Amino acid sequence: MEAAEMEVEEDNSLHPNPSFSNSLMRFGLKNSIQTNFGDHYVFHLASSDDSRSMAVSLSTNGIKFYSPTTGQYFGECGGHSSRIHHISFSSPSNPQILHSCSSDGTIRAWDTRTFTQVSLINAGQPIFSFSFGGAGDNLLAAGCNSQILFWDWRNKKQVACLEESHIEDVTQVQFVPDHQNKLVSASEDGLVCIFDTSGDINDDDHLESVINMETSVNKFGFLGEANQKLWCLTHIETLSVWDWKDSRKEVHFEDARSLASNCWPLDHVDYFADCHYSRENDRLWVIGGTYSGTLGFFPVSYSGMGSIRPPEAVLGGGHTGVVRSILPLSGFLSGPSRNNGIFGWTGGEDGQLCCWSSDQFSGTNRSWISSELVVKSPRTRITKRHHPY
């Protein structure tokens, strides 16, 4: 069956306040790919460095690949036997390789040209996150139950295990850009730890500093001219910005959702899906969403007392449930002139991939439905957001 094209009416209720509407950058729904997996979710989106391929992890434990500029379906990979927690085009040796980690205890590498598995590392415990780096660019770090494991990715040999720094699940690990021997880890125990990974790695000698968030950490990312700052979202939707070099808190938003909700006339912000930082413009946005599927990009000021300001972009009329992942393809200020006018993609609990473009490129909003998939389950979908990982 060929893909069916259909009209999508513009939802004027998204902008009931004319002055609010005029202050927004306008983005329309360009494409919508319905994965038709019923109760199965779209979890994570990742783009290759050359923007030729977009990987999509699903709650079927599989990964599908699409063109981020046309939405064309390329193929899929399958092999994980449990939930996929993280995907990334981050292989130091080959930009065509996608890595994924899972609750099945493995990190797998996939060749996106042939959609085949090319390597496997088995940790023997659930893996929630991984990152490539190290002073020699030879380390693969992974966050597991309460441990951080290290391998030399060139020979797949385990070289270290940190097991004293965290006491609960390690939700994320990431080597700091431009500081490749520095590794940051976050955990459900509320701690963010910074390690120096040079030499023989151990808890006693290589733990440089600890940031206590006092509540379970969901995700973090880097910002600032030299990536010396850290934004951090918790599982209770608080937002803070830190200088990780001296463990100094720059701003903390205990009531971040309320601050964001008060900035727009739409529904209450129910959750934060992510943050987005533009290094080119030194700007940070926190991305808030509603259970009905609307997203807002709220600018964050992290100097002085700090503030969360009215959204500069609202993406609505595409998703009907919680959005799990956002993949911007172009910056706000630089505009979506490249990437065929596409601003980015989103994926969510409604099983949809939505493609967004600016009004000047989108014309009339249209969407199309992919026929590459299985029959949709008739079961009722749960609308509340589940455990983020």
Side-chain angles (χ1 to χ4, degrees):
M1 182 176 67
E2 295 183 354
E5 189 177 83
M6 64 181 181
E7 296 286 349
V8 177
E9 294 183 358
E10 184 176 0
D11 186 357
N12 293 321
S13 65
L14 288 175
H15 312 300
N17 185 324
S19 61
F20 172 77
S21 176
N22 291 336
S23 67
L24 295 173
M25 296 192 70
R26 302 173 181 273
F27 295 96
L29 180 66
K30 184 171 183 177
N31 289 336
S32 176
I33 302 174
Q34 176 61 52
T35 56
N36 286 340
F37 279 108
D39 286 339
H40 295 296
Y41 300 165
V42 172
F43 278 137
H44 303 283
L45 307 177
S47 177
S48 59
D49 288 341
D50 59 9
S51 296
R52 293 183 179 180
S53 181
M54 176 176 67
V56 180
S57 69
L58 301 156
S59 56
T60 57
N61 306 327
I63 304 171
K64 296 204 168 194
F65 296 88
Y66 299 86
S67 165
T69 54
T70 67
Q72 178 185 355
Y73 172 75
F74 290 152
E76 60 187 284
C77 296
H80 284 295
S81 60
S82 190
R83 167 125 180 223
I84 297 172
H85 293 289
H86 181 200
I87 57 175
S88 177
F89 287 91
S90 55
S91 172
S93 59
N94 193 333
Q96 304 296 329
I97 299 297
L98 177 87
H99 281 82
S100 59
C101 67
S102 165
S103 285
D104 64 14
T106 66
I107 299 176
R108 299 170 189 253
W110 313 91
D111 190 323
T112 61
R113 295 163 295 189
T114 59
F115 309 109
T116 56
Q117 180 178 301
V118 293
S119 71
L120 180 148
I121 292 175
N122 196 334
Q125 57 180 309
I127 303 176
F128 303 117
S129 177
F130 62 87
S131 182
F132 288 92
D137 204 27
N138 65 309
L139 292 178
L140 170 59
C144 303
N145 286 337
S146 61
Q147 300 177 339
I148 303 171
L149 303 179
F150 294 86
W151 293 269
D152 186 322
W153 63 263
R154 297 167 300 184
N155 55 26
K156 309 301 188 293
K157 290 184 178 180
Q158 185 174 328
V159 295
C161 173
L162 301 178
E163 52 187 355
E164 298 177 2
S165 301
H166 293 291
I167 59 173
E168 295 186 50
D169 290 353
V170 177
T171 54
Q172 186 178 345
V173 294
Q174 188 173 346
F175 285 97
V176 183
D178 303 325
H179 306 269
Q180 280 297 83
N181 62 320
K182 305 294 184 183
L183 179 79
V184 178
S185 65
S187 168
E188 284 194 329
D189 60 16
L191 301 181
V192 175
C193 297
I194 294 89
F195 300 92
D196 186 330
T197 63
S198 57
D200 295 329
I201 306 167
N202 60 73
D203 289 280
D204 294 332
D205 301 327
H206 289 75
L207 176 60
E208 290 193 334
S209 59
V210 177
I211 296 171
N212 189 354
M213 297 296 300
E214 299 181 351
T215 186
S216 177
V217 181
N218 184 358
K219 60 177 66 176
F220 65 81
F222 300 100
L223 65 153
E225 182 178 354
N227 294 298
Q228 78 278 11
K229 301 183 190 298
L230 188 78
W231 61 259
C232 188
L233 286 171
T234 70
H235 284 129
I236 60 172
E237 316 295 354
T238 64
L239 169 66
S240 58
V241 176
W242 297 74
D243 187 314
W244 61 263
K245 287 188 175 181
D246 57 12
S247 302
R248 185 183 72 253
K249 180 169 60 180
E250 301 208 340
V251 68
H252 177 66
F253 300 101
E254 183 75 27
D255 55 348
R257 277 186 299 175
S258 295
L259 293 173
S261 299
N262 293 336
C263 288
W264 68 355
L266 309 184
D267 292 341
H268 183 79
V269 173
D270 296 307
Y271 62 94
F272 290 123
D274 209 342
C275 286
H276 177 62
Y277 175 69
S278 169
R279 187 170 185 177
E280 177 184 1
N281 305 304
D282 190 25
R283 300 190 65 191
L284 177 68
W285 294 267
V286 61
I287 306 171
T290 68
Y291 289 139
S292 60
T294 302
L295 287 178
F297 282 66
F298 297 86
V300 178
S301 171
Y302 47 90
S303 60
M305 296 296 294
S307 64
I308 296 178
R309 301 193 299 273
E312 293 185 349
V314 172
L315 310 183
H319 290 286
T320 58
V322 171
V323 176
R324 289 280 190 149
S325 186
I326 299 100
L327 180 65
L329 296 183
S330 59
F332 284 116
L333 299 183
S334 58
S337 57
R338 55 185 186 271
N339 298 314
N340 288 356
I342 294 174
F343 165 67
W345 289 81
T346 54
E349 294 186 4
D350 55 7
Q352 287 197 99
L353 293 172
C354 289
C355 178
W356 306 90
S357 64
S358 72
D359 280 1
Q360 69 182 99
F361 290 93
S362 61
T364 59
N365 290 338
R366 305 180 72 86
S367 70
W368 55 275
I369 298 177
S370 171
S371 62
E372 294 287 345
L373 313 181
V374 300
V375 177
K376 185 176 182 179
S377 165
R379 289 179 293 172
T380 302
R381 185 183 311 282
I382 299 173
T383 56
K384 298 293 184 181
R385 184 168 71 154
H386 290 191
H387 195 288
Y389 79 98

